[in-house]
């Protein structure tokens, strides 16, 4: 699920649908109640990916996360998503081991909140991705 600060939208295969305005605290509460039980915040999520470049392209170029500049290119990349959340992906040093074991798959949903302007930019990037999915390979 991808969301901005005014709208909650579902993304499936880079297609957006089911928008719900979130203008008041009650709108947010109702949206969270509908979501059901679950974790509301994960500050750090470690994922093993086959290629560091694919992680950079997906989390950085597509989702718009900022790669933590304090991390050298040979270390595990930290893709910052707002002030509190990071996606940690494989470093070039660990790619060989991950290739043998396979990449991890997150089974569930992760919601990312975007400001309206940033959400519009995300939609543009998703449209480009639909045209050329090889961007992430």
């Amino acid at each position: 699920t991808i969301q901005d600060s005014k709208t909650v939208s579902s993304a499936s295969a880079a297609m957006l649908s089911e928008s719900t305005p979130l203008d008041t605290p009650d709108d947010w509460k109702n949206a969270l109640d509908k979501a059901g039980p679950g974790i509301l915040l994960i500050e750090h999520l470690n994922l093993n990916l086959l290629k560091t470049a694919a992680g950079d392209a997906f989390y950085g170029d597509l989702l718009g996360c900022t790669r933590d500049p304090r991390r050298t290119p040979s270390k595990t990349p930290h893709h910052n998503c707002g002030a509190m959340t990071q996606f940690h992906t494989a470093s070039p040093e660990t790619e060989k081991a991950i290739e043998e074991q396979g990449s991890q798959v997150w089974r569930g949903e992760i919601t990312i909140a975007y400001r309206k302007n940033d959400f519009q930019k995300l939609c543009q990037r998703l449209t480009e991705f639909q045209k050329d999915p090889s961007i992430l390979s």
Side-chain angles (χ1 to χ4, degrees):
T1 302
I2 299 173
Q3 88 182 27
D4 70 18
S5 61
K6 290 284 190 180
T7 306
V8 172
S9 300
S10 295
S12 175
M15 301 285 287
L16 301 175
S17 64
E18 299 182 37
S19 293
T20 304
L22 297 173
D23 296 320
T24 69
D26 284 338
D27 292 338
W28 279 97
K29 181 184 180 316
N30 292 335
L32 291 173
D33 287 344
K34 277 189 200 175
I39 298 169
L40 296 179
L41 174 66
I42 296 177
E43 291 186 17
H44 296 85
L45 182 60
N46 297 317
L47 294 170
N48 287 337
L49 305 175
L50 293 177
K51 299 284 182 198
T52 303
D56 288 343
F58 180 75
Y59 293 101
D61 299 338
L62 183 62
L63 294 183
C65 299
T66 304
R67 187 162 173 175
D68 190 334
R70 298 171 294 179
R71 305 289 297 177
T72 64
S74 65
K75 295 205 172 207
T76 301
H78 293 180
H79 302 278
N80 297 324
C81 184
M84 296 174 52
T85 303
Q86 290 180 333
F87 295 98
H88 298 177
T89 58
S91 69
E93 297 169 352
T94 59
E95 285 181 359
K96 180 85 171 140
I98 294 168
E99 186 176 331
E100 293 168 7
Q101 300 168 3
S103 61
Q104 294 173 312
V105 176
W106 179 266
R107 294 179 184 4
E109 292 184 359
I110 297 173
T111 300
I112 301 173
Y114 290 87
R115 290 182 194 93
K116 186 172 185 168
N117 186 40
D118 293 331
F119 184 71
Q120 291 166 343
K121 291 176 186 174
L122 171 67
C123 292
Q124 291 169 349
R125 292 190 302 269
L126 286 170
T127 300
E128 290 302 312
F129 171 74
Q130 273 186 298
K131 292 176 188 173
D132 182 14
S134 69
I135 293 169
L136 299 181
S137 54

